Amino acid sequence: MSWQSFMQAQLAQRRQNSVWRQRICVEHNSGRKLQVDGQHYLNFSGNDYLGLSRHPKVIEAWQQGAAQYGTGSGGSGHVTGFSLAHQQLENTLSEWLGYPRALLFISGFAANQAVITALMSQGDRILADKLSHASILEASMLSNANLRRFTHNSPSSLEKLLAHPTEGKTLIITEGVFSMDGDCAPLIELQQLAGQHNVWLMVDDAHGIGVRGREGRGSCDVHGIKPELLIVTFGKAFGLSGAAVLCDETTADYFIQTARHLIYSTSMPPAQAVALSAALQQIRAADESREQLKQHIEYFRKNSQFRDMQLADSQMAIQPVIVGDNEISLQLSDYLRQKGLWVQAIRPPTVPPGSARLRITLSAAHYQQDIDQLLEALNGFTIK
Ligand SMILES: *Cc1c(COP(=O)(O)O)cnc(C)c1O
């Protein structure tokens, strides 16, 4: 088979199954609104939960950081790419979240991959929630450890897996808030099980950090737990990008020796670290935005009366509307777009087969009338 016919066959299959993916070019994004092809839409697909991506103080910090440090970091953190700005951000993060150390990564994807592949190898065992993010599952496979997935948010399913004895190390992995469902992990039970079996727990809190907990400290703060490994990402509520791993001294030293993403990749621009420090300051003081978001969530749930589709059981900014069929999820997304509402359809393999959905995300940047507009459209939708 030639390369051309191989790829064309693959592409044709994707079109046929309604899982064709394409990128759209966003001409303008204010957080609350998007401009695409000259048209304006209310944006219900972003992860900028607190509206921070446009915060004047954060923008100013990035500009000042660039003026002070230049545009790029100039190398890996192991050479000359670890600056005062990086160090200050790591120190503030570790103090804020109550860990001895924080290590910065350029993305959550990289952080998950670095941590899992550095710690785990053949003979070890990873017990991950069934709905874990692709970056966690990819990394687990790459590590060559034995990957077992427990039933979503089910401590008893995890307990059954833990009951099997193993020679190597065991790492339990979950998310604080699940990215496609918006539900929260039973962190207390998971940490208890980890403790009873003397194994480690890793929590990826990409969607909880900034939004939940005191001063936005995230899901672990809400549940009063401290996993051995906490991953926080900056592409969501922080309104920027990047990630950090929170851990103890020994683990941080171990990652600095072994995590290939730290050694062989250029560190984030120092100016970005300056902007992240400014965003963190805003997040700590953002109780009003968190309250606003909470009210939007309650309002949306209280006033939704959908036919033929189901609102998922989520108290978070992620409010999925499950329609099941791939084609119908696309129809619904198109219908909303015609009404000036941008809501992305999410299809397998991002979500399990038969659970195609609209992934609605609410933000403190929305106004209540924005949500009214969305509700009116959704409440009026019927599957033909
Ligand atoms: C978004 C996300 C990531 C990836 O983070 P990036 O910084 O976007 O690479 C990892 N884990 C979860 C749960 C996420 O939602």
Side-chain angles (χ1 to χ4, degrees), residues 8 21 28 38 54 82 91 93 112 136 177 185 201 223 240 247 262 269 275-276 300 303 315 333 347 351 353 361 378:
Q8 272 157 6
R21 293 168 190 259
H28 185 74
R54 291 255 148 191
F82 183 67
N91 289 345
L93 284 167
N112 281 339
I136 293 169
V177 177
L201 174 65
H223 295 278
L240 282 114
C247 58
L262 291 179
L276 281 166
F300 176 75
N303 294 292
Q315 306 304 317
S333 179
R347 293 158 289 162
V351 292
T361 49
L378 284 170

Side-chain angles (χ1 to χ4, degrees), residues 198-259:
N198 205 16
V199 301
W200 274 19
L201 174 65
M202 164 172 159
V203 177
D204 175 347
D205 203 22
H207 297 275
I209 197 71
V211 182
R212 309 181 74 195
R214 294 166 303 149
E215 294 187 344
R217 288 183 178 91
S219 304
C220 296
D221 183 68
V222 171
H223 295 278
I225 70 150
K226 198 175 268 187
E228 285 79 8
L229 296 161
L230 170 63
I231 316 292
V232 297
T233 72
F234 308 133
K236 279 99 188 193
F238 271 73
L240 282 114
S241 75
V245 177
L246 285 296
C247 58
D248 69 12
E249 292 282 353
T250 309
T251 313
D253 286 342
Y254 179 79
F255 287 144
I256 288 173
Q257 311 312 309
T258 56

